[in-house]
Amino acid sequence: VQLQASGGGLVQAGGSLRLSCVVSGRTFRPGAMAWFRQGPGKEREFVAGIKWGSGSPTYTDSVKGRFTISRDNAKNTVYLQMNSLKPEDTAVYTCAAIRGGNPILSTIWNMRAYDYWGQGTLVTVSS
């Protein structure tokens, strides 16, 4: 199983970007997928997650109302639409997947629960 993230780049404050993460490999149905990020000099943090079956999303407070996570079951792809970007959103964004099951929210927020990780994609927001 491989996760391939794309869509990062340089954008001005107030702008938008859409990240994509494609899951490939053997037949795989995640229980949940999420985006994490690690900014300069910061620890990795949870950004947004989604239950694969129901599509129910969850967000960290700092991105609520600005970011939207979604998934396309047919394409095995999860997206992160990021609007009203701020300089503090600058980070390497990484997608991750939990193998199977129906994880609860506390599990989705816990990076140690994730079985598969993609490579990061850099998002830089200039002021």
Side-chain angles (χ1 to χ4, degrees), residues 29-55:
R29 184 183 183 281
M33 291 190 67
W35 290 93
F36 293 82
R37 68 184 180 186
Q38 186 167 18
K42 299 181 181 178
E43 293 185 352
R44 180 179 286 178
E45 64 172 349
F46 173 85
V47 177
I50 188 165
K51 290 190 175 186
W52 201 255
S54 66

PDB file of all heavy atoms in Angstrom, residues 29-55:
ATOM      1  N   ARG A  29      -9.128  -0.908   1.882  1.00  0.00           N
ATOM      2  CA  ARG A  29     -10.185  -0.026   2.311  1.00  0.00           C
ATOM      3  C   ARG A  29      -9.824   0.507   3.688  1.00  0.00           C
ATOM      4  O   ARG A  29      -9.883  -0.206   4.677  1.00  0.00           O
ATOM      5  CB  ARG A  29     -11.525  -0.749   2.370  1.00  0.00           C
ATOM      6  CG  ARG A  29     -12.682   0.168   2.727  1.00  0.00           C
ATOM      7  CD  ARG A  29     -13.978  -0.604   2.852  1.00  0.00           C
ATOM      8  NE  ARG A  29     -15.120   0.248   3.120  1.00  0.00           N
ATOM      9  CZ  ARG A  29     -15.432   0.758   4.307  1.00  0.00           C
ATOM     10  NH1 ARG A  29     -14.662   0.506   5.348  1.00  0.00           N
ATOM     11  NH2 ARG A  29     -16.508   1.512   4.453  1.00  0.00           N
ATOM     12  N   PRO A  30      -9.426   1.784   3.748  1.00  0.00           N
ATOM     13  CA  PRO A  30      -9.039   2.336   5.040  1.00  0.00           C
ATOM     14  C   PRO A  30     -10.224   2.517   5.972  1.00  0.00           C
ATOM     15  O   PRO A  30     -11.358   2.663   5.519  1.00  0.00           O
ATOM     16  CB  PRO A  30      -8.420   3.681   4.675  1.00  0.00           C
ATOM     17  CG  PRO A  30      -9.044   4.039   3.380  1.00  0.00           C
ATOM     18  CD  PRO A  30      -9.330   2.759   2.664  1.00  0.00           C
ATOM     19  N   GLY A  31      -9.973   2.491   7.261  1.00  0.00           N
ATOM     20  CA  GLY A  31     -11.007   2.843   8.212  1.00  0.00           C
ATOM     21  C   GLY A  31     -11.158   4.354   8.311  1.00  0.00           C
ATOM     22  O   GLY A  31     -12.252   4.877   8.489  1.00  0.00           O
ATOM     23  N   ALA A  32     -10.035   5.038   8.166  1.00  0.00           N
ATOM     24  CA  ALA A  32     -10.024   6.486   8.185  1.00  0.00           C
ATOM     25  C   ALA A  32      -8.743   6.972   7.535  1.00  0.00           C
ATOM     26  O   ALA A  32      -7.759   6.235   7.457  1.00  0.00           O
ATOM     27  CB  ALA A  32     -10.108   7.020   9.614  1.00  0.00           C
ATOM     28  N   MET A  33      -8.799   8.190   7.056  1.00  0.00           N
ATOM     29  CA  MET A  33      -7.599   8.835   6.553  1.00  0.00           C
ATOM     30  C   MET A  33      -7.529  10.237   7.128  1.00  0.00           C
ATOM     31  O   MET A  33      -8.546  10.798   7.557  1.00  0.00           O
ATOM     32  CB  MET A  33      -7.587   8.876   5.025  1.00  0.00           C
ATOM     33  CG  MET A  33      -7.421   7.501   4.408  1.00  0.00           C
ATOM     34  SD  MET A  33      -7.110   7.524   2.643  1.00  0.00           S
ATOM     35  CE  MET A  33      -5.474   8.290   2.581  1.00  0.00           C
ATOM     36  N   ALA A  34      -6.324  10.778   7.120  1.00  0.00           N
ATOM     37  CA  ALA A  34      -6.138  12.086   7.736  1.00  0.00           C
ATOM     38  C   ALA A  34      -4.963  12.813   7.108  1.00  0.00           C
ATOM     39  O   ALA A  34      -4.133  12.218   6.421  1.00  0.00           O
ATOM     40  CB  ALA A  34      -5.908  11.941   9.234  1.00  0.00           C
ATOM     41  N   TRP A  35      -4.943  14.090   7.372  1.00  0.00           N
ATOM     42  CA  TRP A  35      -3.817  14.949   7.031  1.00  0.00           C
ATOM     43  C   TRP A  35      -3.187  15.438   8.327  1.00  0.00           C
ATOM     44  O   TRP A  35      -3.891  15.905   9.235  1.00  0.00           O
ATOM     45  CB  TRP A  35      -4.262  16.138   6.190  1.00  0.00           C
ATOM     46  CG  TRP A  35      -4.676  15.764   4.801  1.00  0.00           C
ATOM     47  CD1 TRP A  35      -5.936  15.479   4.368  1.00  0.00           C
ATOM     48  CD2 TRP A  35      -3.815  15.637   3.659  1.00  0.00           C
ATOM     49  NE1 TRP A  35      -5.924  15.178   3.021  1.00  0.00           N
ATOM     50  CE2 TRP A  35      -4.636  15.281   2.567  1.00  0.00           C
ATOM     51  CE3 TRP A  35      -2.446  15.801   3.442  1.00  0.00           C
ATOM     52  CZ2 TRP A  35      -4.123  15.069   1.284  1.00  0.00           C
ATOM     53  CZ3 TRP A  35      -1.945  15.599   2.170  1.00  0.00           C
ATOM     54  CH2 TRP A  35      -2.770  15.233   1.104  1.00  0.00           C
ATOM     55  N   PHE A  36      -1.890  15.341   8.380  1.00  0.00           N
ATOM     56  CA  PHE A  36      -1.102  15.903   9.460  1.00  0.00           C
ATOM     57  C   PHE A  36      -0.166  16.950   8.843  1.00  0.00           C
ATOM     58  O   PHE A  36       0.069  16.942   7.641  1.00  0.00           O
ATOM     59  CB  PHE A  36      -0.274  14.816  10.159  1.00  0.00           C
ATOM     60  CG  PHE A  36      -1.103  13.820  10.911  1.00  0.00           C
ATOM     61  CD1 PHE A  36      -1.704  12.749  10.256  1.00  0.00           C
ATOM     62  CD2 PHE A  36      -1.287  13.942  12.276  1.00  0.00           C
ATOM     63  CE1 PHE A  36      -2.478  11.819  10.941  1.00  0.00           C
ATOM     64  CE2 PHE A  36      -2.059  13.026  12.978  1.00  0.00           C
ATOM     65  CZ  PHE A  36      -2.648  11.964  12.311  1.00  0.00           C
ATOM     66  N   ARG A  37       0.371  17.813   9.684  1.00  0.00           N
ATOM     67  CA  ARG A  37       1.329  18.788   9.176  1.00  0.00           C
ATOM     68  C   ARG A  37       2.404  19.043  10.218  1.00  0.00           C
ATOM     69  O   ARG A  37       2.188  18.870  11.417  1.00  0.00           O
ATOM     70  CB  ARG A  37       0.642  20.105   8.802  1.00  0.00           C
ATOM     71  CG  ARG A  37       0.075  20.893   9.978  1.00  0.00           C
ATOM     72  CD  ARG A  37      -0.669  22.124   9.473  1.00  0.00           C
ATOM     73  NE  ARG A  37      -1.235  22.897  10.582  1.00  0.00           N
ATOM     74  CZ  ARG A  37      -2.032  23.944  10.418  1.00  0.00           C
ATOM     75  NH1 ARG A  37      -2.364  24.353   9.187  1.00  0.00           N
ATOM     76  NH2 ARG A  37      -2.498  24.590  11.470  1.00  0.00           N
ATOM     77  N   GLN A  38       3.556  19.460   9.705  1.00  0.00           N
ATOM     78  CA  GLN A  38       4.669  19.822  10.580  1.00  0.00           C
ATOM     79  C   GLN A  38       5.265  21.107  10.056  1.00  0.00           C
ATOM     80  O   GLN A  38       5.849  21.147   8.960  1.00  0.00           O
ATOM     81  CB  GLN A  38       5.730  18.720  10.628  1.00  0.00           C
ATOM     82  CG  GLN A  38       6.826  18.989  11.635  1.00  0.00           C
ATOM     83  CD  GLN A  38       7.674  17.760  11.899  1.00  0.00           C
ATOM     84  OE1 GLN A  38       7.676  16.802  11.135  1.00  0.00           O
ATOM     85  NE2 GLN A  38       8.396  17.786  13.009  1.00  0.00           N
ATOM     86  N   GLY A  39       5.091  22.181  10.836  1.00  0.00           N
ATOM     87  CA  GLY A  39       5.630  23.473  10.466  1.00  0.00           C
ATOM     88  C   GLY A  39       7.071  23.623  10.923  1.00  0.00           C
ATOM     89  O   GLY A  39       7.578  22.803  11.695  1.00  0.00           O
ATOM     90  N   PRO A  40       7.750  24.664  10.483  1.00  0.00           N
ATOM     91  CA  PRO A  40       9.148  24.890  10.851  1.00  0.00           C
ATOM     92  C   PRO A  40       9.313  24.973  12.360  1.00  0.00           C
ATOM     93  O   PRO A  40       8.656  25.787  13.019  1.00  0.00           O
ATOM     94  CB  PRO A  40       9.474  26.226  10.194  1.00  0.00           C
ATOM     95  CG  PRO A  40       8.467  26.389   9.108  1.00  0.00           C
ATOM     96  CD  PRO A  40       7.228  25.703   9.588  1.00  0.00           C
ATOM     97  N   GLY A  41      10.157  24.122  12.889  1.00  0.00           N
ATOM     98  CA  GLY A  41      10.418  24.138  14.316  1.00  0.00           C
ATOM     99  C   GLY A  41       9.280  23.642  15.186  1.00  0.00           C
ATOM    100  O   GLY A  41       9.300  23.834  16.407  1.00  0.00           O
ATOM    101  N   LYS A  42       8.297  23.013  14.577  1.00  0.00           N
ATOM    102  CA  LYS A  42       7.131  22.539  15.335  1.00  0.00           C
ATOM    103  C   LYS A  42       7.020  21.019  15.259  1.00  0.00           C
ATOM    104  O   LYS A  42       7.605  20.379  14.393  1.00  0.00           O
ATOM    105  CB  LYS A  42       5.849  23.168  14.780  1.00  0.00           C
ATOM    106  CG  LYS A  42       5.803  24.676  14.863  1.00  0.00           C
ATOM    107  CD  LYS A  42       4.494  25.209  14.305  1.00  0.00           C
ATOM    108  CE  LYS A  42       4.424  26.711  14.357  1.00  0.00           C
ATOM    109  NZ  LYS A  42       3.159  27.229  13.778  1.00  0.00           N
ATOM    110  N   GLU A  43       6.229  20.465  16.168  1.00  0.00           N
ATOM    111  CA  GLU A  43       5.955  19.045  16.115  1.00  0.00           C
ATOM    112  C   GLU A  43       4.835  18.768  15.099  1.00  0.00           C
ATOM    113  O   GLU A  43       4.032  19.646  14.780  1.00  0.00           O
ATOM    114  CB  GLU A  43       5.534  18.545  17.499  1.00  0.00           C
ATOM    115  CG  GLU A  43       6.639  18.611  18.523  1.00  0.00           C
ATOM    116  CD  GLU A  43       6.238  17.997  19.861  1.00  0.00           C
ATOM    117  OE1 GLU A  43       5.053  17.668  20.020  1.00  0.00           O
ATOM    118  OE2 GLU A  43       7.101  17.867  20.731  1.00  0.00           O
ATOM    119  N   ARG A  44       4.793  17.546  14.632  1.00  0.00           N
ATOM    120  CA  ARG A  44       3.718  17.151  13.726  1.00  0.00           C
ATOM    121  C   ARG A  44       2.383  17.239  14.463  1.00  0.00           C
ATOM    122  O   ARG A  44       2.280  16.833  15.622  1.00  0.00           O
ATOM    123  CB  ARG A  44       3.949  15.741  13.205  1.00  0.00           C
ATOM    124  CG  ARG A  44       2.871  15.239  12.247  1.00  0.00           C
ATOM    125  CD  ARG A  44       3.176  13.843  11.752  1.00  0.00           C
ATOM    126  NE  ARG A  44       4.261  13.863  10.770  1.00  0.00           N
ATOM    127  CZ  ARG A  44       4.755  12.755  10.210  1.00  0.00           C
ATOM    128  NH1 ARG A  44       4.268  11.570  10.542  1.00  0.00           N
ATOM    129  NH2 ARG A  44       5.739  12.848   9.330  1.00  0.00           N
ATOM    130  N   GLU A  45       1.371  17.753  13.777  1.00  0.00           N
ATOM    131  CA  GLU A  45       0.055  17.884  14.394  1.00  0.00           C
ATOM    132  C   GLU A  45      -1.038  17.404  13.458  1.00  0.00           C
ATOM    133  O   GLU A  45      -0.904  17.447  12.225  1.00  0.00           O
ATOM    134  CB  GLU A  45      -0.219  19.350  14.782  1.00  0.00           C
ATOM    135  CG  GLU A  45      -0.297  20.296  13.604  1.00  0.00           C
ATOM    136  CD  GLU A  45      -0.750  21.696  14.005  1.00  0.00           C
ATOM    137  OE1 GLU A  45      -1.207  21.896  15.148  1.00  0.00           O
ATOM    138  OE2 GLU A  45      -0.655  22.601  13.145  1.00  0.00           O
ATOM    139  N   PHE A  46      -2.131  16.984  14.058  1.00  0.00           N
ATOM    140  CA  PHE A  46      -3.309  16.570  13.306  1.00  0.00           C
ATOM    141  C   PHE A  46      -3.976  17.797  12.703  1.00  0.00           C
ATOM    142  O   PHE A  46      -4.104  18.831  13.359  1.00  0.00           O
ATOM    143  CB  PHE A  46      -4.275  15.858  14.249  1.00  0.00           C
ATOM    144  CG  PHE A  46      -5.605  15.519  13.649  1.00  0.00           C
ATOM    145  CD1 PHE A  46      -5.779  14.363  12.934  1.00  0.00           C
ATOM    146  CD2 PHE A  46      -6.681  16.379  13.805  1.00  0.00           C
ATOM    147  CE1 PHE A  46      -7.014  14.045  12.377  1.00  0.00           C
ATOM    148  CE2 PHE A  46      -7.913  16.077  13.258  1.00  0.00           C
ATOM    149  CZ  PHE A  46      -8.074  14.915  12.547  1.00  0.00           C
ATOM    150  N   VAL A  47      -4.420  17.683  11.447  1.00  0.00           N
ATOM    151  CA  VAL A  47      -5.107  18.779  10.779  1.00  0.00           C
ATOM    152  C   VAL A  47      -6.575  18.422  10.538  1.00  0.00           C
ATOM    153  O   VAL A  47      -7.481  19.131  10.961  1.00  0.00           O
ATOM    154  CB  VAL A  47      -4.446  19.114   9.425  1.00  0.00           C
ATOM    155  CG1 VAL A  47      -5.226  20.206   8.703  1.00  0.00           C
ATOM    156  CG2 VAL A  47      -2.993  19.531   9.624  1.00  0.00           C
ATOM    157  N   ALA A  48      -6.799  17.317   9.849  1.00  0.00           N
ATOM    158  CA  ALA A  48      -8.161  16.905   9.510  1.00  0.00           C
ATOM    159  C   ALA A  48      -8.175  15.410   9.237  1.00  0.00           C
ATOM    160  O   ALA A  48      -7.196  14.869   8.731  1.00  0.00           O
ATOM    161  CB  ALA A  48      -8.664  17.662   8.288  1.00  0.00           C
ATOM    162  N   GLY A  49      -9.296  14.786   9.567  1.00  0.00           N
ATOM    163  CA  GLY A  49      -9.447  13.358   9.318  1.00  0.00           C
ATOM    164  C   GLY A  49     -10.843  13.057   8.821  1.00  0.00           C
ATOM    165  O   GLY A  49     -11.763  13.870   8.980  1.00  0.00           O
ATOM    166  N   ILE A  50     -11.001  11.881   8.231  1.00  0.00           N
ATOM    167  CA  ILE A  50     -12.308  11.506   7.693  1.00  0.00           C
ATOM    168  C   ILE A  50     -12.507  10.002   7.832  1.00  0.00           C
ATOM    169  O   ILE A  50     -11.596   9.217   7.569  1.00  0.00           O
ATOM    170  CB  ILE A  50     -12.429  11.946   6.217  1.00  0.00           C
ATOM    171  CG1 ILE A  50     -13.847  11.741   5.695  1.00  0.00           C
ATOM    172  CG2 ILE A  50     -11.402  11.257   5.323  1.00  0.00           C
ATOM    173  CD1 ILE A  50     -14.116  12.482   4.385  1.00  0.00           C
ATOM    174  N   LYS A  51     -13.676   9.629   8.319  1.00  0.00           N
ATOM    175  CA  LYS A  51     -14.044   8.224   8.367  1.00  0.00           C
ATOM    176  C   LYS A  51     -14.366   7.768   6.941  1.00  0.00           C
ATOM    177  O   LYS A  51     -15.191   8.377   6.272  1.00  0.00           O
ATOM    178  CB  LYS A  51     -15.254   8.013   9.268  1.00  0.00           C
ATOM    179  CG  LYS A  51     -14.976   8.224  10.737  1.00  0.00           C
ATOM    180  CD  LYS A  51     -16.164   7.759  11.567  1.00  0.00           C
ATOM    181  CE  LYS A  51     -15.874   7.848  13.047  1.00  0.00           C
ATOM    182  NZ  LYS A  51     -16.967   7.280  13.858  1.00  0.00           N
ATOM    183  N   TRP A  52     -13.720   6.680   6.518  1.00  0.00           N
ATOM    184  CA  TRP A  52     -13.863   6.299   5.117  1.00  0.00           C
ATOM    185  C   TRP A  52     -15.276   5.848   4.779  1.00  0.00           C
ATOM    186  O   TRP A  52     -15.792   6.168   3.722  1.00  0.00           O
ATOM    187  CB  TRP A  52     -12.864   5.198   4.779  1.00  0.00           C
ATOM    188  CG  TRP A  52     -12.606   5.102   3.314  1.00  0.00           C
ATOM    189  CD1 TRP A  52     -13.075   4.146   2.456  1.00  0.00           C
ATOM    190  CD2 TRP A  52     -11.836   6.019   2.534  1.00  0.00           C
ATOM    191  NE1 TRP A  52     -12.648   4.417   1.187  1.00  0.00           N
ATOM    192  CE2 TRP A  52     -11.883   5.553   1.196  1.00  0.00           C
ATOM    193  CE3 TRP A  52     -11.127   7.181   2.823  1.00  0.00           C
ATOM    194  CZ2 TRP A  52     -11.224   6.212   0.169  1.00  0.00           C
ATOM    195  CZ3 TRP A  52     -10.477   7.833   1.791  1.00  0.00           C
ATOM    196  CH2 TRP A  52     -10.537   7.344   0.484  1.00  0.00           C
ATOM    197  N   GLY A  53     -15.898   5.123   5.661  1.00  0.00           N
ATOM    198  CA  GLY A  53     -17.225   4.599   5.360  1.00  0.00           C
ATOM    199  C   GLY A  53     -18.286   5.678   5.320  1.00  0.00           C
ATOM    200  O   GLY A  53     -19.025   5.810   4.340  1.00  0.00           O
ATOM    201  N   SER A  54     -18.380   6.460   6.385  1.00  0.00           N
ATOM    202  CA  SER A  54     -19.444   7.463   6.503  1.00  0.00           C
ATOM    203  C   SER A  54     -19.079   8.789   5.870  1.00  0.00           C
ATOM    204  O   SER A  54     -19.945   9.594   5.555  1.00  0.00           O
ATOM    205  CB  SER A  54     -19.780   7.692   7.976  1.00  0.00           C
ATOM    206  OG  SER A  54     -18.675   8.277   8.646  1.00  0.00           O
ATOM    207  N   GLY A  55     -17.786   9.042   5.720  1.00  0.00           N
ATOM    208  CA  GLY A  55     -17.359  10.347   5.226  1.00  0.00           C
ATOM    209  C   GLY A  55     -17.382  11.426   6.273  1.00  0.00           C
ATOM    210  O   GLY A  55     -17.216  12.610   5.963  1.00  0.00           O
TER     211      GLY A  55
END
